[in-house]
Amino acid sequence: NVLAGFASSHPPLGDINESMSTLWYHDHRVDFTAQNVYKGLAGFYLLFNQFDTGDETTGFRLPSFPNFDIPMMFNDKNFDPDDGLLAFDLANRDGILGDKFLVNGKIQPFFEVKRRRYRFRWLDAGPSRFYQFFFTDTTNLNQRIKFHQISTDGNLLTRPVEVESVRISVAERADVIIDFSKYAGKTLY
């Protein structure tokens, strides 16, 4: 929880440009990391400071945690069709592509939003798949809906960047702001 450079280039507290906000933890046991994360032994570790405060009335005024600042851990898994248990092939060293997509441990969940801004903290927890996230209006599937990316792998960007999509690979993170007040009465996917 100490900023980079605290003991040399930016004493006494470190370089605020190196402050992290969206972190995650997982097991690092040699040769067992992938299977332990696959089994769900991972979680978010969120940090706040005077700029990224977790309260939208202060600092950068990002959506408030926990109601409108939503961590989302994505992964895909295989389930045994006979017993429904999680399947992991220990002999497969080439990666696993699951048949079910999960967010925070739930298969294809639904999240109803209010007409306001939300911060989503996206994490690809693997084990092998890359994700390309974008939004479309169900009445016009060719239309990409723009949103703002505010961080990559924990560090906030110098300013929000308007994007049509965000791609993350295994263990990568991205924070985005989506303003759902612009899409009243629409269903977005």
Side-chain angles (χ1 to χ4, degrees):
N1 293 340
V2 177
L3 300 177
F6 74 94
S8 58
S9 58
H10 294 86
L13 301 175
D15 184 357
I16 192 64
N17 293 315
E18 295 296 327
S19 60
M20 305 290 273
S21 57
T22 303
L23 302 170
W24 71 298
Y25 59 89
H26 59 85
D27 172 55
H28 279 184
R29 184 173 170 211
V30 175
D31 295 330
F32 287 88
T33 300
Q35 66 179 295
N36 285 340
V37 171
Y38 187 83
K39 293 174 185 175
L41 299 175
F44 279 94
Y45 181 56
L46 307 180
L47 297 172
F48 298 97
N49 62 29
Q50 69 269 31
F51 303 110
D52 185 359
T53 64
D55 178 352
E56 62 196 69
T57 65
T58 62
F60 290 143
R61 301 187 185 282
L62 297 171
S64 293
F65 182 81
N67 295 329
F68 307 109
D69 179 349
I70 313 296
M72 300 174 74
M73 185 181 302
F74 295 90
N75 48 28
D76 56 296
K77 300 183 182 192
N78 288 309
F79 293 89
D80 187 302
D82 295 327
D83 59 18
L85 296 176
L86 187 62
F88 186 89
D89 181 0
L90 292 172
N92 182 353
R93 300 290 184 200
D94 295 326
I96 296 170
L97 295 178
D99 57 0
K100 300 290 184 203
F101 293 95
L102 287 79
V103 181
N104 296 343
K106 294 185 179 185
I107 298 172
Q108 295 177 253
F110 177 81
F111 183 67
E112 189 168 336
V113 297
K114 296 182 178 182
R115 294 179 181 163
R116 64 171 331 268
R117 291 181 329 134
Y118 280 78
R119 176 183 189 171
F120 293 104
R121 299 173 188 249
W122 292 338
L123 163 65
D124 180 352
S128 305
R129 193 176 300 271
F130 288 42
Y131 293 97
Q132 182 88 21
F133 295 109
F134 61 92
F135 292 91
T136 61
D137 179 346
T138 56
T139 62
N140 182 2
L141 296 178
N142 292 322
Q143 176 191 5
R144 294 277 179 96
I145 294 172
K146 294 183 179 181
F147 53 98
H148 288 91
Q149 184 172 359
I150 62 168
S151 82
T152 59
D153 271 346
N155 284 344
L156 290 174
L157 301 173
T158 55
R159 65 184 166 283
V161 177
E162 188 174 57
V163 296
E164 288 185 350
S165 68
V166 171
R167 181 181 176 130
I168 56 175
S169 62
V170 177
E172 283 188 320
R173 295 154 286 160
D175 290 18
V176 300
I177 302 288
I178 303 169
D179 187 353
F180 292 103
S181 67
K182 298 177 181 180
Y183 309 106
K186 295 186 180 272
T187 303
L188 305 180
Y189 286 97

